[in-house]
Each structure stands twice: as C-alpha cells, then as structure tokens.
Amino acid sequence: MAVLKPFKGYRPVKDKVAEVASRPYDVLNSEEAKKEAEGKPFSFLHVVKPEIDLPENIDHYAAEVYEKGRDNFKQLLADGVFFQDEKDCYYIYSQTMDGRTQTGIVGCSAVDDYFNDVIKKHELTRPDKEEDRKKHVRVSAINAEPVFFTFPAVQALDEIMEKVKGSKSPEYDFTADDGIRHTLWVVNDDATIQRIADEFNKIPSVYVADGHHRTAAAALVGQDLRKEVGQYSGKEEFNYFLSVNFPDNQLKIFDYNRVVTDLNGLSDDAFMQKLSEGFDVKEVNGQHRPTGLHNFGMFLNGKWYSLTAKAGTYDDNDPIGVLDVTVLTKQVLEPILGIMNQRTDKRIDFVGGIRGLGELEKRVNSGEMKVAFALHPVTLGQLINISDTGNIMPPKTTWFEPKLRSGLVVHGLN
C-alpha cells in the first residue's frame, strides 16, 4: 500500500512566491532559463538550473554547477525568502489552465515504494539524466522539484481536498506569466493530516505521470544514503522524496505529435500509395484533429489528411499494440520512412499538443520538415494499464499540462 508522509516543507514567504516560482528544469534549456531568470534574483531557476549563474562554457555536469545550486538555495534561506514550516504538513495544490482545474496532495513518497513497485513506471530512464538529477539532490540535500504522480481517485480524499479548499484561505494564489493560476493550501491540523495519511495508505499503487528521472534519482539517493549511514530507523527524511499526487479524474493527457524531415527518398505519390496499404486516406478541408483512437491527422504539402488505420494494423487487446504511437511506428515510421529508433534518429522531432496543430503546419511550411502527424492522446486508463502490466511506453507518448511549478514547496533530506 502506498505511503504519503507529511513533512516540514521549505517554502517562500507569501509576498515573494510569484517571484520565486519557476517552470521545471526540464522544459527550458540553459539559454531559455537564463533569459527567463534575468532580473529575477529570487527565481527558483537559480536553484534548479544553476549553470545560468556560471560562465557560459561551463560543463553542465561539473561539480561547480551542483554546488552553485546548493549555495543559491542556502542564500534564499539566509535572505529570508524561504523558511521552513515548524511542523509536518501536507499541502493541497491546485492549477487552473484554460478554465480547467486539477488538484493534488503534496507530500513525501517512500523510497521503499519505488523499489517495491508500489510506485509504477511506464518509461525507461537514461542513466546520464538519472545521474544528473542524483547529483542535484545529493549535493543540495533537498528534493528541489516534486515528481508528478497520479492514482485512481478516492472519494474520501476528494472530499478532504474540497473541504480544505472551501474552509481555509490559500497560502498562495497567483497567476504566472503563462496565464496558469497556482493555488496552495497548508494542511497543518492533526486530524486532517491523519485522515489523509490513512486514506492514502489504502491505495495499492500510484503511477508516475511525469518525472521518471526525478523519481529514480530521488529513490537512488535515498538508497545510497541508507548504505552510508549503515543503521537507520526508516523515519529519516532521506527515506522519502517530494511528490504531488493527483487523482486520475483530475488530469488531462495531451497529444504528442510527430514531424519528419523527409519521405525517405520516396516521391509524394509513392509515399501516399504506401500509406493507403494500411490506412484509409482522405483529404480534408482545414486542420484535422484525430476524431478517436486509430485516426490520425497528417499535414503534407499544405494539405491535411485523415488517416484511419485499417483492421489488422493494431491490437486493441495488447496494452502497447492499442496505442496510436505504436500504430504509426509499425505502419509508417519504420517500414515506410525508415525511422527505426525514435530516441536517436535526427530525422524525427516531437511536438507537444499544447502547441496546437498550427505548430505542425508551421514546421512543415517553413521547409524544416516535410510531413507532420497528429495523434490521438493516450488516456489515463491506457497509462495505468501499461504500468500495471509491466510494459514500457514508446518514447514521447504522453504530454501533461499544466506543468508543476517549482519552488512552491521543497523537501529537505537532513
């Protein structure tokens, strides 16, 4: 059963929270982060992307980078921008984007739950990215950014969250530059804390929605520290890591689309002919957003097409075979376009659905790309089924929005 522990969070003072809160480390490159943090000394990007405060030619994996992140956080504490809550708390966190709100519980998940497969994964992680996040956690001795988990909705927890939101004033309530509203409540009364802990402990599994590398890194650091101290009670903070846990009925997965540079030496006509072997292809007026599972949009030579996969090209009884990214891979990307490894092939790129179909048109019309494919988004049910069956999703399959804001609550390992 899943563990979610209250903790003494480090948080920004109320009147500085909007200046502190930043986008997460992995949605910005260093140049973008430097620009975004310009003139913002309290931005949490100085903690999670500390290379922005060092010479441009610095190796991003150098020891100085991790030490700078640690020092920047210590400075925020010393300057009174951050403080630590005096008692263990949970935090209720809401995000509102385009009129839709999702609300989750911020707490600490257990390292043991990661290794015992109570926390279920659906993506492979890269050792270099794991190691980078491990060093950030280890050197700074904090979980600076939460991981993004989901779980099958529990009515009792839904009711607790709604009661907190309805009966308490939020600690933070601000709208970020991107128009997304962030609201956070502190849960510090013992009765509610106990109810959350008890209800969460009845949940058999939680699922990594976003942040597989952060999850792995946090759990591995906890494991390393256990080995180093030798004897431990299990109550030490390094046995836990920061997470935000959303009921599955709160979340929306966006499409994750593909653009390809060329047709692998085929003429347009030859390409369309090969497509018609596995799909019913129809030219349409205007943008075509997939109407359902196994229907795709394709943009080629200034025209949109509807592609509907023919029977036999997919397996709805297989957790991976049912995914449209699998259909596109097995029917188009590999056999027709010769793209055998989407992780490494430079001829393919990925466009989050949050950017809209117009971004696909833009990439193709510019001449940078030749063809674009719009996919139907994966469902939460598919994600959970894949995780429960021990399968791994193909790369770049799920896109969650809004992203968690960094710097609202930090967990210390000491």
Side-chain angles (χ1 to χ4, degrees), residues 83-97:
F83 70 99
Q84 187 175 24
D85 281 316
E86 294 181 359
K87 65 172 291 185
D88 288 344
C89 303
Y90 288 115
Y91 307 87
I92 305 299
Y93 177 32
S94 282
Q95 301 170 290
T96 302
M97 183 181 82

Side-chain angles (χ1 to χ4, degrees), residues 124-401:
L124 297 173
T125 54
R126 284 172 37 190
D128 59 331
K129 290 186 72 175
E130 267 186 28
E131 189 61 26
D132 171 52
R133 288 302 99 188
K134 275 183 69 176
K135 287 178 179 176
H136 266 290
V137 174
R138 189 65 196 270
V139 173
S140 62
I142 57 173
N143 299 131
E145 296 184 299
V147 295
F148 187 152
F149 288 170
T150 187
F151 62 92
V154 176
Q155 185 177 348
L157 288 173
D158 287 347
E159 290 172 355
I160 291 169
M161 287 190 288
E162 288 307 308
K163 184 176 180 181
V164 169
K165 290 168 66 176
S167 62
K168 296 188 70 169
S169 296
E171 185 74 6
Y172 306 140
D173 189 355
F174 67 97
T175 300
D177 294 342
D178 55 9
I180 297 170
R181 182 181 178 188
H182 301 269
T183 316
L184 185 133
W185 294 260
V186 178
V187 179
N188 52 15
D189 66 282
D190 294 339
T192 306
I193 287 172
Q194 191 61 53
R195 282 190 64 208
I196 291 174
D198 290 346
E199 290 296 337
F200 212 88
N201 198 231
K202 297 175 186 176
I203 298 170
S205 300
V206 296
Y207 301 83
V208 183
D210 200 5
H212 281 78
H213 289 95
R214 265 169 284 174
T215 306
L220 289 167
V221 167
Q223 190 179 60
D224 288 347
L225 290 172
R226 285 175 169 183
K227 292 175 183 175
E228 288 176 23
V229 301
Q231 290 186 327
Y232 60 93
S233 68
K235 295 182 180 179
E236 298 89 352
E237 290 301 325
F238 60 70
N239 293 290
Y240 303 91
F241 58 93
L242 184 63
S243 63
V244 184
N245 300 264
F246 292 94
D248 61 352
N249 59 6
Q250 300 269 332
L251 299 180
K252 177 181 179 180
I253 302 179
F254 285 78
D255 41 315
Y256 216 154
N257 302 314
R258 271 74 174 142
V259 286
V260 181
T261 59
D262 60 80
L263 299 183
N264 198 28
L266 295 171
S267 68
D268 294 353
D269 288 344
F271 174 66
M272 296 295 281
Q273 181 62 41
K274 285 184 174 292
L275 268 187
S276 66
E277 295 172 12
F279 299 87
D280 292 321
V281 182
K282 295 180 182 177
E283 185 179 337
V284 296
N285 291 320
Q287 295 178 344
H288 181 72
R289 185 173 296 282
T291 55
L293 202 58
H294 309 325
N295 178 253
F296 302 78
M298 182 180 76
F299 187 67
L300 176 69
N301 291 331
K303 297 177 182 177
W304 278 95
Y305 298 85
S306 167
L307 312 181
T308 303
K310 293 180 178 179
T313 62
Y314 49 85
D315 182 358
D316 285 349
N317 295 314
D318 180 83
I320 301 296
V322 69
L323 300 176
D324 279 344
V325 66
T326 304
V327 178
L328 187 72
T329 298
K330 298 301 182 186
Q331 299 300 318
V332 182
L333 298 179
E334 291 180 356
I336 301 177
L337 297 178
I339 296 171
M340 308 308 291
N341 188 333
Q342 294 180 54
R343 293 181 186 275
T344 59
D345 199 313
K346 302 298 184 187
R347 295 170 55 226
I348 189 169
D349 200 5
F350 310 90
V351 180
I354 191 70
R355 296 182 179 273
L357 298 182
E359 181 68 14
L360 301 183
E361 293 180 344
K362 179 182 172 184
R363 298 285 294 272
V364 173
N365 288 336
S366 70
E368 175 199 4
M369 297 291 173
K370 174 65 177 177
V371 63
F373 300 95
L375 282 70
H376 191 261
V378 171
T379 66
L380 255 301
Q382 288 173 329
L383 182 151
I384 288 173
N385 189 28
I386 286 168
S387 302
D388 281 343
T389 53
N391 281 288
I392 297 298
M393 277 191 177
K396 307 291 186 182
T397 302
T398 57
W399 182 282
F400 285 90
E401 283 284 348

